Amino acid sequence: QVQPVESGGGLVQPGGSLRLSCTGSGIIVSPYSMGWYRQVPGKQRELVAFMDGTGVVTYASSVKGRFTISRDSAKNIVNLQMSSLKRDDTAVYYCWTSHPQFSWGQGTQVTVSS
């Protein structure tokens, strides 16, 4: 079974940066859709950034201009570069990939705090 694995989460101060990565055995990132989502306790999982198979990207309005989704087709890795982090960005971040099957990662915690 395909299982994406996220990495790169952690504790960062407001205004700081983090880079999340997602990969897994058997996962192919191009030319397929993929995305990053996040969830805080008591709330629904929400879209952060999404890239479709043609490379068109959609961002949540709350992260536009601060986060960048990208993919490394040679290594089959999905990245999320996060800058100018805010306390409201604190959440568990999940990777979603679509090929060879729709799959969610286990999540990685991002905590923005001083």
Side-chain angles (χ1 to χ4, degrees):
Q1 183 174 348
V2 175
Q3 177 66 67
V5 178
E6 302 94 340
S7 62
L11 174 64
V12 63
Q13 292 187 342
S17 299
L18 278 177
R19 183 180 179 89
L20 306 183
S21 295
C22 172
T23 189
S25 178
I27 291 173
I28 307 296
V29 301
S30 181
Y32 304 104
S33 298
M34 56 189 184
W36 286 95
Y37 295 73
R38 66 187 181 188
Q39 188 170 22
V40 297
K43 292 189 176 182
Q44 288 189 332
R45 192 171 297 185
E46 64 175 9
L47 171 71
V48 175
F50 185 86
M51 179 181 286
D52 72 13
T54 67
V56 174
V57 177
T58 301
Y59 293 102
S61 58
S62 60
V63 308
K64 196 173 295 184
R66 301 188 296 121
F67 290 13
T68 302
I69 186 173
S70 63
R71 60 186 171 198
D72 183 329
S73 300
K75 298 180 180 179
N76 287 310
I77 295 174
V78 180
N79 296 307
L80 183 69
Q81 179 67 46
M82 306 186 294
S83 303
S84 301
L85 282 161
K86 306 175 181 180
R87 288 182 174 83
D88 286 348
D89 295 318
T90 296
V92 178
Y93 284 71
Y94 296 90
C95 171
W96 176 84
T97 58
S98 63
H99 190 84
Q101 63 193 51
F102 290 1
S103 301
W104 289 96
Q106 295 292 330
T108 185
Q109 177 70 46
V110 172
T111 301
V112 183
S113 176
S114 56

